[in-house]
Amino acid sequence: GTLHVAVVGAGIAGLSCAGFLAQAGLSPVVFDKSRGPGGRMSTRRGEGWQCDHGAQYFTARDPDFRAEVERWLQAGVAARWAPRLRVLGGDLGHDADSGLARFVGTPRMTAPARLLAERLELQAGTTIHQLERGAEGWRLLSAERGWVDGFYDAVVLAQPAPQAASLLRQSSLHNAAASGLVTLAEGVVMRGSWALMVRFADPVALPFDAAFVNAGPLRWIARDSSKPGRDGVESWLLHANAQWSEAHIEDDADDVAAAMLQAFHDLGGPLPQAWTAHRWRYADSEPAGDMVCAWDGDTGVGLCGDWLNGGKVEGAWLSGRALAQRIVDGLRVVG
Ligand code: FAD
């Protein structure tokens, strides 16, 4: 019969992997602890406002990923974003690279993931915290529903490295290759990031839509309302840099917001009408080499995600696809 694959994580990597597995004739089921797909390609919505508080935009350098983005553009779930872009606080670190094509999901960052999830079986609100291997295959234990239905021939972990590592440690893996996966995931240091979503009654009178910031607590500020297809009140996103975020990751949201708003004010920003803070515990990772993905054919466990391939949306999508290819090739060898 067809091979059943459980994919843990409905971020862009897991969805890409599951989509290619389905295309090759396998039966993937995707699980995510959140209410919907997208992972760190995420948008917060409130009354009269919306704001992307994870990935800000994505680029497409690989020809296959460009073709995928073209498909998203055609489907209306993504568009090019050409912000008036600045580099503030010194010229170290970043340049604005105005020739680079930047894309965003439309009408919000989660839209491409929703498109990919449409053709897949997704079980949302399901936190997988243990894997168990029996004679009939893998079973998955969830926090919300106990053991989920079905046995799986393979399991794909498409989570940030620390979450993949802790799931692997909770699972019955008894060979050296599998413990190699644990070591790999444990070896990756992921860093936190504070995000502050701020709303204004009127358009903010700054002469740019986004800026890389090279001084103080902030790293990036962007007028979310300048992205195509957005509605609601004037909305900006402030990201703190990794070093500052890590130093303040356990702080009170009120204190963090006060410091970030002061830094925004120092750059010429007005005081907002309202704000919402979000703490990302695993925003990005130190580069983890160029493995792209990892697969242990003996146990049927694989890893994919941005942390294995450059830390961005494009790398995550390519990582998921590469793992799907490894799984399908592995079956050919066995079959
Ligand atoms: P994720 O999107 O993290 O997906 C993992 C999924 O696994 C999540 O949905 C999570 O809920 C789920 N999950 C985890 N554990 C479990 C469990 N036990 N059971 C069930 N589900 C589980 N990239 C860019 O290209 N450009 C940018 O400008 C950019 N800016 C960023 C800014 C911030 C603040 C952050 C946080 C990220 C940014 N990124 C950016 C990175 C980009 O968001 C990621 O590279 C990409 O979205 C990662 O996709 P992924 O599928 O690997 O992981």
Side-chain angles (χ1 to χ4, degrees):
T2 68
L3 279 140
H4 297 272
V5 183
V7 177
V8 181
I12 201 70
L15 294 171
S16 158
C17 186
F20 284 104
L21 290 172
Q23 222 174 68
L26 282 68
S27 294
V29 178
V30 185
F31 300 90
D32 203 289
K33 63 188 170 94
S34 305
R35 273 176 303 167
R40 277 170 281 159
M41 292 178 79
S42 57
T43 308
R44 187 75 68 85
R45 285 198 282 169
E47 224 158 280
W49 65 276
Q50 67 171 68
C51 191
D52 299 339
H53 63 304
Q56 292 297 294
Y57 60 81
F58 48 91
T59 51
R61 293 177 171 86
D62 177 272
D64 292 342
F65 185 62
R66 289 182 86 97
E68 177 71 3
V69 171
E70 191 55 44
R71 203 170 71 84
W72 298 352
L73 298 175
Q74 296 296 325
V77 298
R80 198 166 161 180
W81 179 46
R84 293 170 298 159
L85 193 56
R86 294 286 165 84
V87 179
L88 303 175
D91 51 11
L92 291 171
H94 262 289
D95 84 62
D97 197 356
S98 51
L100 187 67
R102 296 180 166 84
F103 301 93
V104 295
T106 50
R108 58 194 73 93
M109 198 49 109
T110 49
R114 292 196 173 278
L115 177 74
L116 297 187
E118 258 173 26
R119 291 157 181 268
L120 294 167
E121 181 181 343
L122 169 63
Q123 298 188 17
T126 308
T127 309
I128 305 301
H129 64 185
Q130 195 184 320
L131 311 173
E132 190 180 273
R133 173 127 195 159
E136 293 170 272
W138 287 104
R139 295 174 76 201
L140 282 67
L141 184 62
S142 77
E144 296 82 0
R145 301 190 273 128
W147 294 103
V148 303
D149 286 342
F151 292 92
Y152 295 91
D153 303 291
V155 184
V156 166
L157 306 186
Q159 307 155 275
Q163 292 168 331
S166 93
L167 182 49
L168 287 170
R169 280 193 301 267
Q170 295 305 313
S171 306
S172 50
L173 299 164
H174 301 298
N175 72 357
S179 67
L181 295 183
V182 183
T183 308
L184 176 67
E186 278 178 344
V188 175
V189 178
M190 290 193 77
R191 301 174 300 190
S193 174
W194 275 104
L196 196 68
M197 299 158 256
V198 289
R199 275 93 64 194
F200 302 89
D202 300 305
V204 168
L206 284 169
F208 53 81
D209 299 313
F212 295 107
V213 185
N214 291 320
L218 299 178
R219 168 68 162 166
W220 163 260
I221 60 180
R223 187 194 308 263
D224 198 78
S225 307
S226 74
K227 295 180 177 180
R230 268 60 182 167
D231 57 21
V233 300
E234 171 91 351
S235 163
W236 282 66
L237 188 279
L238 319 180
H239 270 156
N241 68 49
Q243 201 186 355
W244 191 90
S245 295
E246 281 291 308
H248 296 272
I249 203 74
E250 300 301 340
D251 287 9
D252 224 52
D254 288 345
D255 298 335
V256 166
M260 292 176 72
L261 288 172
Q262 180 61 50
F264 184 56
H265 192 65
D266 293 345
L267 298 171
L271 288 175
Q273 206 169 42
W275 55 263
T276 308
H278 181 86
R279 173 187 13 226
W280 289 103
R281 284 201 183 270
Y282 309 120
D284 64 7
S285 55
E286 307 278 359
D290 52 1
M291 298 195 60
V292 185
C293 67
W295 169 243
D296 173 33
D298 293 338
T299 50
V301 175
L303 304 175
C304 63
D306 69 333
W307 59 277
L308 284 150
N309 197 30
K312 290 187 159 58
V313 170
E314 172 171 20
W317 184 86
L318 289 167
S319 173
R321 186 186 66 163
L323 180 55
Q325 196 61 57
R326 290 277 290 275
I327 294 172
V328 171
D329 288 349
L331 296 177
R332 275 206 203 98
V333 173
V334 175

